[in-house]
Amino acid sequence: MSAVIGFVGLGIMGGQMASNLLDAGFEVIGFDLVPEALERLSTTGGRVASSAGQAAAEADVVITMLPNHSHVEAAALGEGGVLDGAKPGTLYIDMSSIRPATARKLAEVGADRGIRVLDAPVSGGEKGAVDGVLSIMVGGSEENFAAAQAVFAPLGKAVHVGPAGSGQTVKAANQLVVGGTYALVAEAIVLLEASGLDASVGLDVLAGGLAGSRILELKRRTMVAREFQPGFRIDLHHKDMGIVLDAARDAGVALPVGNLVAALIASARAQGYGQLDHSALLKVAENLAGKGSAA
Ligand code: NAD
């Protein structure tokens, strides 16, 4: 594969994804604000750019994997950014989780400059990034989606879900379901333990029935053991619930359970759990039930 990929944002997710693209035979030229991230790229065989715009200027395909919309706006729309540097015809794929409205804006500005834009947020976490099995939700034209297939292949399974911004809307729905599921599994643990039962045994049964889920499958043991190292941090899920509620407002719908889940995640953050895994919603459920260590 001869295409050159510009990769901006080489953190927990982006660093692994860039490494998988290198392993697949792409040439990768990367940029990040953090020097250690650039060193990691060099050691895995990538080249280092001096700005997002320079990475884009040398690339056929540019990927951004940044924390939030403000970072994407700075790196893509700012002076010396991706859209300044990229040649007409370049494919620009933003894989960060951001507001659908910002994704649509990127597509519009890109189209004005002859840049082909896709929004392609992911689910699957750091492990999914390492293993190259991310679930990739893609918004944009069919034609651009087809052109990106070879780039998505080493990263995971990509599904085209609709026009520009749709990938971000599907990702928001994903985070709504994930947050709500964690909140309910947390309450199930509180109920089982307060009733004098072994929560592990109870959750084993739940996992095999209609209540079963990937979260019960992957996280019930660590939740019962109160192991909350991330994973996916509460701070990022708080950001994502903001995206969910913004998207709901734009779409003109009320999400009552979603608002409650957002409040529980905000409470987790306010109680100092922002750096813990989102399964630490269990600590909020325990505190509300008068069963936490803080109670
Ligand atoms: P991270 O904080 O580990 O990495 C982000 C990187 O972007 C950092 O290295 C930072 O230095 C860099 N950065 C910030 N602004 C920059 C700029 N203007 N120019 C260049 N680099 C810049 O975050 P992450 O966990 O890799 O998450 C990235 C995105 O993926 C987020 O939107 C997150 O919600 C989403 N996501 C994360 C996970 C996960 O499990 N961590 C899972 C799915 C989706």
Side-chain angles (χ1 to χ4, degrees):
M1 177 60 62
S2 60
V4 178
I5 299 186
F7 208 115
V8 181
L10 300 160
I12 292 179
M13 299 294 285
Q16 296 296 343
M17 293 159 71
S19 169
N20 287 343
L21 291 166
L22 283 161
D23 289 347
F26 288 101
E27 188 181 337
V28 175
I29 174 162
F31 178 68
D32 195 290
L33 299 177
V34 175
E36 297 80 55
L38 296 174
E39 277 160 32
R40 274 197 305 274
L41 177 69
S42 291
T43 57
T44 52
R47 274 197 297 138
V48 169
S50 57
S51 68
Q54 195 213 336
E58 299 197 23
D60 306 298
V61 179
V62 184
I63 294 175
T64 47
M65 191 55 169
L66 299 162
N68 204 352
H69 63 93
S70 57
H71 308 89
V72 174
E73 281 170 5
L77 301 173
E79 204 177 313
V82 169
L83 294 178
D84 260 2
K87 305 176 284 283
T90 301
L91 190 58
Y92 167 38
I93 311 171
D94 177 43
M95 302 190 76
S96 327
S97 304
I98 62 166
R99 299 190 298 219
T102 305
R104 287 192 292 270
K105 181 172 164 193
L106 290 177
E108 277 167 28
V109 177
D112 286 347
R113 301 187 189 185
I115 314 288
R116 303 177 292 156
V117 180
L118 292 171
D119 50 291
V122 306
S123 167
E126 186 180 7
K127 176 140 176 47
V130 172
D131 296 344
V133 295
L134 293 168
S135 178
I136 308 170
M137 304 149 232
V138 188
S141 74
E142 284 278 6
E143 194 188 355
N144 292 346
F145 176 67
Q149 283 307 312
V151 176
F152 288 139
L155 305 178
K157 181 171 166 29
V159 177
H160 184 226
V161 295
S166 313
Q168 296 295 353
T169 306
V170 173
K171 172 68 182 180
N174 183 77
Q175 295 307 81
L176 173 64
V177 173
V178 169
T181 304
Y182 271 121
L184 288 175
V185 172
E187 290 191 2
I189 292 172
V190 168
L191 173 65
L192 290 166
E193 291 181 349
S195 309
L197 297 175
D198 182 337
S200 302
V201 174
L203 293 187
D204 283 351
V205 179
L206 265 63
L210 186 59
S213 68
R214 283 286 280 166
I215 286 173
L216 268 181
E217 190 186 315
L218 296 175
K219 291 287 201 165
R220 65 184 190 273
R221 191 194 62 73
T222 51
M223 284 180 78
V224 172
R226 274 65 175 174
E227 291 170 7
F228 299 126
Q229 63 275 27
F232 187 77
R233 283 177 286 120
I234 289 277
D235 279 345
L236 278 178
H237 211 133
H238 177 68
K239 179 258 303 182
D240 287 345
M241 292 312 295
I243 295 170
V244 170
L245 299 185
D246 263 4
R249 183 175 285 251
D250 283 354
V253 293
L255 301 178
V257 178
N259 272 276
L260 178 55
V261 172
L264 291 170
I265 293 176
S267 171
R269 195 162 182 262
Q271 291 180 65
Y273 308 144
Q275 295 297 315
L276 298 182
D277 188 70
H278 48 175
S279 55
L281 270 182
L282 176 55
K283 288 166 83 72
V284 175
E286 284 180 311
N287 292 345
L288 285 169
K291 299 290 181 188
S293 49

